[in-house]
């Protein structure tokens, strides 16, 4: 998708210098900085500090992380240790371990002299596949938006939480892909963007990328959606997910569950958009999903730009207050109207998911 009119993906390899390039998302929306990852440690650090984030992009970065590890040292113990460190860099999004396992499976029987070429091809394939999946999610989700528009014959208001946009994937996004497809088709849309405290992925990233694509949007605080739904100002919700169980339970950014409850109470369709790489076919009980707890400083401090254009971080909590920063929550399948995948739309149930993916 575009930034200042120029097409980008979120990650790519500079083949001349064997350097992985990323857009540093901790600097958005105030600065657009392309950063180099030269070592596997750089890739691990980028995931941990959320320079890259969003389930599919974390997976793509981990795949390229293994390519960087091979460039440093072809020793199998080093690659194994690097793979373990990558998997541990963030616990909730399943795409991370999925991508690392896929890379390691591919590399398991390969001669040392071929490791780099095979790894690079696989990392590129993981990223290209994600672009195709997200594009198909858009084509499938577009039908839902079209249906609402055909009935309403007026602007379709869509609420989204966090950033499941193209910045969270390699391109297109998951939740935003149906939105971009509908916008390109000329359907009048408006997106309510949940700010998404504490890291403000909605305000800093979703609103930013929608602006760049000229999709009308308005940022709201995380507590506003319920009132807008009661007032009839939301036609549908679409969110992404970090891990969806085969039971249809959806783990996503903290606050998603409360939005689903409000949507359910107001009879508003609540859709979750996901590539199949985000499905966890093993865990059956949502209580077994590892929920990331991040540093409480992400709550107590906020970063922004002052009137002189300087980026500043300031404390907003009382000095002595404690804070707890859980990053994800679970929306039970019963509150999910449908799952929008690359293969089609299905209800959030084990039966429907297994049928869709031939499991
Ligand atoms: O903590 P983040 O910013 O990595 O969380 C991202 C989300 O919760 C997204 O909704 C999810 O990864 C889906 S991305 C297409």
């Amino acid at each position: 998708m575009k930034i200042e009119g120029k097409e980008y993906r979120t990650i790519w390899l500079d083949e001349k210098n064997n350097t992985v390039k990323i857009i540093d998302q901790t600097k958005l929306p105030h600065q657009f900085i392309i950063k180099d990852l030269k070592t596997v440690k750089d890739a691990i650090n980028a995931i941990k500090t959320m320079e890259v984030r969003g389930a599919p992009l974390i997976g793509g970065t981990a795949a390229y992380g293994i390519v960087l590890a091979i460039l440093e040292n072809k020793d199998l113990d080093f690659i194994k240790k690097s793979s373990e460190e990558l998997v541990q860099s963030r616990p909730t999004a399943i795409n991370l371990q999925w991508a690392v396992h896929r890379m390691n499976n591919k590399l398991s029987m390969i001669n040392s002299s071929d490791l780099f070429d095979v790894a690079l091809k696989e990392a590129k394939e993981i990223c290209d596949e994600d672009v195709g999946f997200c594009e198909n999610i858009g084509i499938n989700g577009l039908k839902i938006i079209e249906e609402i528009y055909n009935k309403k014959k007026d602007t379709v208001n869509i609420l989204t939480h966090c950033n499941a946009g193209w910045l969270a994937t390699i391109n297109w996004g998951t939740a935003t892909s149906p939105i971009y497809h509908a916008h390109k088709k000329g359907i009048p849309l408006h997106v309510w963007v949940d700010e998404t405290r504490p890291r403000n992925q909605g305000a800093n990233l979703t609103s930013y990328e929608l602006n760049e694509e000229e999709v009308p949007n308005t940022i709201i605080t995380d507590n506003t959606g319920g009132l807008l739904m009661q007032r009839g100002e939301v036609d549908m919700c679409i969110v992404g997910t970090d891990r969806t169980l085969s039971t249809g339970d959806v783990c996503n950014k903290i606050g998603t569950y409360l939005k689903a409850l409000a949507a359910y109470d107001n009879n508003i369709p609540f859709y979750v958009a996901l590539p199949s790489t985000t499905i966890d076919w093993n865990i059956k009980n949502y209580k077994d999903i590892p929920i990331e707890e991040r540093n409480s400083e992400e709550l107590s401090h906020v970063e922004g730009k002052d009137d002189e254009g300087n980026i500043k971080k300031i404390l907003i909590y009382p000095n002595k207050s404690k804070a707890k920063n859980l990053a994800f929550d679970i929306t039970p399948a019963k509150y999910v109207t449908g799952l929008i995948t690359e293969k089609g739309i299905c209800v959030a149930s084990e039966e429907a998911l297994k049928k869709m993916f031939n499991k």
Side-chain angles (χ1 to χ4, degrees):
M1 307 297 288
K2 291 196 284 292
I3 291 176
E4 290 185 5
K6 192 173 167 207
E7 284 285 341
Y8 286 93
R9 282 190 176 189
T10 50
I11 188 164
W12 66 97
L13 185 84
D14 172 356
E15 307 222 4
K16 266 194 215 146
N17 304 310
N18 278 337
T19 301
V20 175
K21 303 270 189 188
I22 57 160
I23 298 166
D24 182 351
Q25 299 193 21
T26 61
K27 300 287 187 293
L28 291 173
H30 302 302
Q31 295 165 291
F32 178 72
I33 292 174
I34 292 174
K35 189 168 175 175
D36 288 352
L37 308 180
K38 295 190 166 128
T39 64
V40 65
K41 282 262 175 295
D42 289 346
I44 292 165
N45 189 49
I47 296 171
K48 277 189 178 160
T49 59
M50 295 175 66
E51 287 167 354
V52 289
R53 27 69 51 204
L57 178 55
I58 295 173
T61 308
Y64 274 115
I66 290 175
V67 176
L68 293 172
I70 291 168
L71 271 172
E72 281 168 72
N73 185 345
K74 288 197 175 66
D75 180 66
L76 288 181
D77 284 342
F78 180 73
I79 298 171
K80 189 164 169 256
K81 194 169 157 281
S82 302
S83 298
E84 281 159 11
E85 281 177 36
L86 279 163
V87 167
Q88 279 155 20
S89 57
R90 285 195 79 192
T92 303
I94 192 154
N95 302 59
L96 178 54
Q97 64 188 63
W98 169 85
V100 171
H101 288 157
R102 175 163 156 178
M103 292 294 288
N104 278 288
N105 280 344
K106 192 76 194 179
L107 299 175
S108 63
M109 306 294 274
I110 302 295
N111 288 333
S112 178
S113 56
D114 297 330
L115 273 177
F116 174 73
D117 288 344
V118 174
L120 179 57
K121 185 163 174 279
E122 195 66 6
K124 279 183 180 165
E125 260 173 48
I126 286 174
C127 291
D128 288 346
E129 233 175 66
D130 187 67
V131 177
F133 286 171
C134 287
E135 187 167 7
N136 283 338
I137 287 169
I139 293 165
N140 294 329
L142 165 65
K143 292 174 208 143
I144 304 167
I145 300 175
E146 262 175 334
E147 225 170 84
I148 294 173
Y149 177 65
N150 288 340
K151 271 196 208 139
K152 191 180 176 193
K153 306 256 182 278
D154 202 353
T155 302
V156 180
N157 286 301
I158 303 174
L159 184 142
T160 192
H161 189 70
C162 193
N163 172 261
W166 75 269
L167 289 167
T169 63
I170 311 300
N171 210 345
W172 287 108
T174 58
T176 54
S177 188
I179 294 170
Y180 289 134
H181 278 80
H183 180 67
K184 283 181 198 295
K185 231 188 145 178
I187 297 175
L189 298 165
H190 167 259
V191 184
W192 295 114
V193 179
D194 277 355
E195 181 186 32
T196 320
R197 283 277 294 150
R199 291 190 66 105
N200 297 344
Q201 289 95 327
N204 292 348
L205 305 175
T206 305
S207 182
Y208 171 80
E209 63 164 86
L210 291 173
N211 292 343
E212 295 297 311
E213 290 290 330
E214 298 178 9
V215 178
N217 70 90
T218 307
I219 300 168
I220 50 176
T221 70
D222 296 326
N223 297 322
T224 304
L227 176 66
L228 293 176
M229 291 186 208
Q230 287 172 326
R231 287 180 167 180
E233 293 183 50
V234 179
D235 297 304
M236 71 182 295
C237 304
I238 321 182
V239 299
T241 167
D242 289 83
R243 188 185 296 234
T244 287
L245 301 190
S246 59
T247 57
D249 295 337
V250 169
C251 180
N252 191 46
K253 180 54 54 194
I254 195 86
T256 302
Y257 172 45
L258 294 180
K259 249 5 89 74
L261 286 177
Y264 189 78
D265 193 45
N266 289 281
N267 257 320
I268 290 161
F270 187 92
Y271 284 95
V272 178
L274 69 151
S276 51
T277 49
T278 306
I279 303 172
D280 184 335
W281 296 101
N282 297 317
I283 290 182
K284 298 289 174 206
N285 187 335
Y286 71 76
K287 290 184 181 149
D288 294 332
I289 299 175
I291 299 289
E292 179 177 19
E293 180 162 357
R294 294 185 63 86
N295 197 315
S296 63
E297 211 188 281
E298 291 183 351
L299 272 76
S300 57
H301 290 68
V302 288
E303 195 174 276
K305 193 156 96 170
D306 71 12
D307 290 344
E308 276 77 51
N310 305 309
I311 307 291
K312 278 197 175 142
K313 198 176 198 178
I314 55 164
L315 171 72
I316 55 167
Y317 282 3
N319 267 329
K320 290 183 186 164
S321 294
K322 281 195 281 181
K324 191 167 178 69
N325 185 10
L326 293 169
F328 298 94
D329 65 19
I330 290 109
T331 301
K334 66 179 171 185
Y335 299 119
V336 177
T337 311
L339 300 173
I340 310 170
T341 76
E342 75 270 17
K343 290 246 174 146
I345 302 163
C346 69
V347 293
S349 76
E350 182 139 27
E351 202 190 343
L353 273 171
K354 282 189 169 163
K355 196 167 164 213
M356 178 84 75
F357 293 102
N358 295 324
K359 291 278 177 182

